[in-house]
Amino acid sequence: MKQRKVANPLALAVLAELMVEPMHPYEIGRRLKGHGADYAIKYTPGSLYMVVKQLTRAGFITTQETVRDTARPERTVYALTEQGTQELVDWLSDLVAEPVTEYPQFGVALSLMSVLPPHEAIRLLSQRLERVTTQGEQIRQSRKNADDDGVLWVFLIDDDYRLALVEAERRFVTELIESFKQPAYTRAWQETLGS
């Protein structure tokens, strides 16, 4: 994958928002939240303004105008440059086409879980299963609400992806709990790690 001048995923989201129309960073943040991007991209208002400065320095966005109305302080409206449009397309193309190894925290926990006594692993995994099941229900409800509101499916594919991941994790954790319940595993754990 290509080295980026601005590599923060928030920058990609800002470029995408500015492709629709020029806007102020506050409006960008409001739209990101409205689109649910705050689920996939962690940011604060401060980090949003920092990314806007980085994108401006890189030549991907430019100041279009500074607006001042009587009730608010000055607001700088930013627009996407031609170079920014190209960066958006190139970067997004890389992310869609190229699988990247990610290091989720649950994967770390799974790689070390054998140190837990089987009954404790079962208890903790059961808690996780409840939470994952609840997440799935919330995503389904959110997706249904969006469908009912007439939101076009292409704007909901990130929800579909999240639901697929949650469902896969739910199935995996359910099977893992059953594996930990096997007497042969308990015996092997006792022989290796039991005190």
Side-chain angles (χ1 to χ4, degrees):
M1 212 176 267
K2 179 179 165 184
Q3 183 76 14
R4 302 277 164 205
K5 288 182 184 179
V6 184
N8 185 331
L10 178 56
L12 184 64
V14 169
L15 293 174
E17 290 298 331
L18 290 176
M19 188 161 191
V20 175
E21 66 180 314
M23 64 186 88
H24 179 271
Y26 176 81
E27 178 64 16
I28 294 170
R30 192 182 70 71
R31 289 188 185 192
L32 288 173
K33 191 166 183 72
H35 299 154
D38 56 337
Y39 169 80
I41 302 167
K42 188 176 179 178
Y43 70 93
T44 64
S47 64
L48 178 59
Y49 281 89
M50 181 187 73
V51 162
V52 166
K53 285 180 185 177
Q54 291 171 339
L55 290 170
T56 303
R57 277 195 304 266
F60 297 143
I61 65 175
T62 188
T63 301
Q64 181 178 25
E65 64 180 323
T66 301
V67 179
R68 181 170 186 88
D69 65 32
T70 55
R72 296 187 177 130
E74 281 186 352
R75 292 183 172 224
T76 303
V77 175
Y78 293 89
L80 194 60
T81 65
E82 189 174 318
Q83 186 182 359
T85 301
Q86 188 60 53
E87 177 68 3
L88 170 62
V89 171
D90 289 347
W91 192 355
L92 190 55
S93 296
D94 280 352
L95 289 176
V96 170
E98 295 294 326
V100 176
T101 301
E102 298 177 278
Y103 302 94
Q105 292 183 5
F106 187 46
V108 173
L110 291 172
S111 72
L112 303 171
M113 191 175 292
S114 62
V115 303
L116 294 174
H119 70 278
E120 184 64 6
I122 291 168
R123 184 184 71 76
L124 295 169
L125 287 167
S126 296
Q127 285 179 4
R128 184 177 191 94
L129 183 58
E130 287 177 25
R131 291 179 178 129
V132 167
T133 300
T134 299
Q135 285 177 347
E137 291 165 359
Q138 290 169 342
I139 295 167
R140 269 193 222 59
Q141 185 59 52
S142 172
R143 181 71 163 81
K144 181 186 179 314
N145 292 345
D147 281 340
D148 292 348
D149 289 344
V151 176
L152 188 63
W153 67 268
V154 73
F155 297 112
L156 302 171
I157 54 178
D158 56 324
D159 285 342
D160 293 341
Y161 177 68
R162 284 176 41 221
L163 184 58
L165 292 178
V166 164
E167 285 301 315
E169 184 176 333
R170 188 186 58 72
R171 286 188 303 274
F172 176 81
V173 170
T174 299
E175 292 170 10
L176 188 56
I177 289 170
E178 291 307 310
S179 296
F180 276 112
K181 289 179 180 178
Q182 298 301 314
Y185 176 75
T186 302
R187 276 192 307 279
W189 186 88
Q190 285 291 338
E191 292 167 6
T192 307
L193 296 169
S195 47

